[in-house]
Amino acid sequence: MSIVAIIRAPERSTQARLAAEALRQAAQRQGKRIDIEIDGQPALGADILQAASQILLVDCPDDARAGQKPARRATLDAVLADPAAQLDGAAAAERALSIVAITGCPTGIAHTFMAAEGLVQGAKALGHAMRVETQGSVGAQNALTDAEIAAADLVVIAADTQVQLDRFAGKRLFKSGTKAAIGDGKALIRRAIAEAQPWSGAAAPAAQAAGKEKTKDGPYRHLMTGVSFMLPFVTAGGILIALAFALGGIYAFDDANKGTLAWSLFQIGAKSAFALMVPILAGYIAYSVADRPGIAPGMVGGMLAASLGSGFLGGIVAGFIAGYGTRELNRRIQLGQHLDGLKPVLILPVLGSLLTGLLMIYVVGQPVAAVLAALTDALKGMQGSSALALGALLGAMMAFDMGGPVNKAAYAFATGLIASQVYTPMAAVMAAGMTPPLGIALATRLFRDRFTVDEHEAGKAAAVLGLAFISEGAIPFAARDPFRVIPALMAGSALAGAVSMTMGVELKVPHGGVFVLPIPNAVEHLASYLAALAAGTVVTALALGLLKKRIPQA
């Protein structure tokens, strides 16, 4: 068996030579022949590459001499860490693999299933078998069995939230966000085959310890994990409070109404579901950072944040303090094999809670509470141009990447403010998030000559998704023509958000689209809200008609 390795690392010549020698020794142990080219020396002829049964490209994006031969890509660091695994992976690239995957996103509605579809289609195109478990809003569906995991050659995690990985110990595993799977599932699978590393359960694979994937596993993912677990509490609490006011009036919570259905609904919604929002947010941020030992310190910190008046901002801070603090304690405290079992049930919860609690009470709580109070007062007092500007900004963010980091930042900001009884940003965000797919659906009707036959059909689905506040219905259109479609979407969403904020529309529920609008008191100024949504939809459609080119008809 003949292997060719091409290394491109001009700024790391010493490491490149060490990697080359490591590959030679690994190939010799496996009884394989290997030819290696480092930064063009010695130059390998096309005949050598054509005769090779395996090609390994190390820090080398491509090489035309490989022709149509399948090639595995690897990083220099991955080769230095485990050269034998890289040679084994190159062999795997030549055969059909059994791949299992998990997808998940903060809301668990659209990106979760779009990523799953992207992976399935990508695997099919490459000739690999694929099974995907979706961790959506109703929990895990198509759950992977122990037998499927045991038989899998590769595990792919395409998720924007934390995923429990204990069951994949020892398997070759690759982690990514949902965006890569949605955009090009085939390319993601190729990259996973090239870069996956055995999962030890202790740390991220070495090949993903640097670069963009590190930021994917950083604070943004931890925050989104907390938000995803918090959302059901916000939704349940908001709807129950609205129903309480509908049945018992604005003073349904008063002790004079104690025992009535309205009073009971308010206790469930406000005093229970809403009261748990900040602790859940903090607890699952900490869980994302430190796994299960972080939950107790995080929730304790979240309860303190709520009692100190620092709200969702304090909950975020408490979650990160608890998560990183507990993780560091876990790393530093070594009790030996026989006593390590005490750490997750006794030592880490106590010390982590103590650390988080003391920092929240004496250092963090009061300053964050002051910041939140100032922010709340400023938002409640917004009128005229300031409200218009904030609404336009939030709206444009919602349409910029439709479910990506910018969109989720605006959404998390608005959702967190519900805990502080500030509801206008949530209304602006939901109107702006519904506008892109609705505007596209309208444009496919008004300007049929700007869209293909497939897009006409996709426009119908986009309309349904838009009504449900699923912005991702616009992604296929934006992906095909981003420089025309995205500016049009941002213009319409900015207008919808600006009108909603300027008219003082309030929304007490963080999701649901038009299906929550009929609930009494869920929306304040419903007519203005519908006007904002209609204005944004029309402007999006008109902008698409203006910017997109006519498609020649057959």
Side-chain angles (χ1 to χ4, degrees):
M1 180 177 288
S2 175
I3 305 171
V4 164
I6 300 175
I7 302 175
R8 295 281 185 270
E11 296 180 357
R12 303 176 65 187
S13 58
T14 301
Q15 290 94 328
R17 296 187 182 281
L18 290 172
E21 184 58 31
L23 287 172
R24 284 193 183 93
Q25 293 181 12
Q28 185 177 9
R29 286 194 295 270
Q30 296 179 10
K32 301 173 182 176
R33 175 188 168 185
I34 188 168
D35 293 290
I36 301 176
E37 176 182 299
I38 304 175
D39 297 327
Q41 298 297 326
L44 300 178
D47 54 334
I48 295 178
L49 275 83
Q50 289 302 315
S53 56
Q54 299 178 27
I55 297 178
L56 181 63
L57 303 176
V58 181
D59 281 358
C60 178
D62 210 345
D63 195 303
R65 293 173 296 171
Q68 298 300 314
K69 280 185 171 291
R72 168 179 161 81
R73 290 166 179 79
T75 65
L76 187 61
D77 291 332
V79 172
L80 289 169
D82 193 344
Q86 304 310 314
L87 294 181
D88 291 340
E94 295 185 339
R95 61 182 175 86
L97 302 180
S98 174
I99 305 174
V100 296
I102 293 179
T103 63
C105 68
T107 53
I109 297 175
H111 272 58
T112 298
F113 301 100
M114 294 171 71
E117 180 66 17
L119 289 175
V120 169
Q121 294 301 323
K124 183 178 179 181
L126 294 171
H128 302 307
M130 168 71 76
R131 273 273 287 118
V132 183
E133 175 183 312
T134 55
Q135 296 191 357
S137 56
V138 294
Q141 294 179 292
N142 300 316
L144 301 173
T145 66
D146 292 341
E148 287 172 331
I149 294 171
D153 298 298
L154 176 67
V155 178
V156 178
I157 307 297
D160 297 323
T161 58
Q162 190 70 8
V163 173
Q164 185 60 252
L165 301 177
D166 293 351
R167 51 185 164 153
F168 302 120
K171 307 299 292 186
R172 292 184 67 240
L173 183 143
F174 180 84
K175 295 171 70 176
S176 172
T178 56
K179 185 176 181 180
I182 295 170
D184 192 340
K186 186 159 64 171
L188 178 61
I189 290 172
R190 280 181 175 147
R191 185 179 172 199
I193 293 171
E195 299 181 16
Q197 294 292 305
W199 176 254
S200 66
Q208 299 164 58
K212 294 182 179 179
E213 291 304 321
K214 184 175 181 179
T215 61
K216 289 275 187 182
D217 250 347
Y220 171 76
R221 175 169 289 188
H222 303 320
L223 175 61
M224 287 300 104
T225 298
V227 170
S228 70
F229 279 96
M230 180 185 73
L231 277 178
F233 294 86
V234 184
T235 304
I239 290 177
L240 291 172
I241 291 170
L243 291 174
F245 289 153
L247 295 174
I250 197 67
Y251 297 108
F253 60 86
D254 199 282
D255 285 343
N257 297 314
K258 190 171 184 178
T260 65
L261 178 59
W263 180 88
S264 299
L265 290 175
F266 187 85
Q267 300 304 307
I268 299 170
K271 299 298 180 66
S272 299
F274 263 28
L276 286 168
M277 283 169 50
V278 175
I280 290 294
L281 173 66
Y284 280 96
I285 289 174
Y287 159 75
S288 181
V289 176
D291 216 321
R292 281 173 288 187
I295 292 180
M299 289 194 177
V300 169
M303 285 294 292
L304 285 169
S307 64
L308 292 169
S310 57
F312 84 99
L313 290 180
I316 292 172
V317 174
F320 283 114
I321 290 174
Y324 287 112
T326 303
R327 190 170 74 177
E328 187 64 16
L329 289 170
N330 190 24
R331 188 178 69 85
R332 290 182 177 275
I333 298 173
Q334 301 295 329
L335 301 178
Q337 182 178 357
H338 299 293
L339 294 178
D340 258 358
L342 292 175
K343 287 203 299 184
V345 296
L346 175 63
I347 296 171
L348 294 178
V350 172
L351 294 182
S353 299
L354 181 65
L355 171 68
T356 307
L358 291 175
L359 286 174
M360 289 300 297
I361 292 172
Y362 291 111
V363 180
V364 176
Q366 294 304 324
V368 175
V371 172
L372 180 65
L375 176 63
T376 301
D377 291 342
L379 289 171
K380 286 183 175 179
M382 271 191 170
Q383 294 179 355
S385 59
S386 57
L388 185 148
L390 178 61
L393 175 62
L394 291 173
M397 291 175 68
M398 289 298 293
F400 177 72
D401 54 2
M402 291 160 290
V406 176
N407 170 286
K408 287 295 190 289
Y411 183 69
F413 171 74
T415 305
L417 287 170
I418 292 179
S420 301
Q421 291 78 52
V422 179
Y423 304 114
T424 50
M426 190 68 247
V429 160
M430 192 159 91
M434 294 168 67
T435 295
L438 290 176
I440 282 175
L442 180 59
T444 58
R445 293 289 182 178
L446 296 179
F447 308 103
R448 297 185 66 83
D449 58 349
R450 266 75 164 179
F451 300 92
T452 66
V453 174
D454 290 342
E455 288 176 327
H456 291 157
E457 293 302 313
K460 299 174 184 177
V464 176
L465 294 173
L467 291 173
F469 181 36
I470 299 177
S471 307
E472 289 85 347
I475 287 178
F477 296 85
R480 290 176 185 172
D481 192 5
F483 296 108
R484 293 185 179 90
V485 173
I486 291 178
L489 302 183
M490 291 178 67
S493 291
L495 178 64
V499 172
S500 177
M501 281 290 296
T502 304
M503 303 296 284
V505 180
E506 296 185 351
L507 177 66
K508 299 180 176 67
V509 186
H511 219 291
V514 298
F515 303 103
V516 301
L517 301 186
I519 298 173
N521 297 309
V523 183
E524 294 289 336
H525 310 302
L526 179 58
S528 298
Y529 194 57
L530 293 175
L533 187 58
T537 300
V538 170
V539 165
T540 297
L542 293 177
L544 286 168
L546 179 65
L547 294 175
K548 283 185 70 67
K549 294 181 178 180
R550 286 184 173 86
I551 297 176
Q553 301 299 310

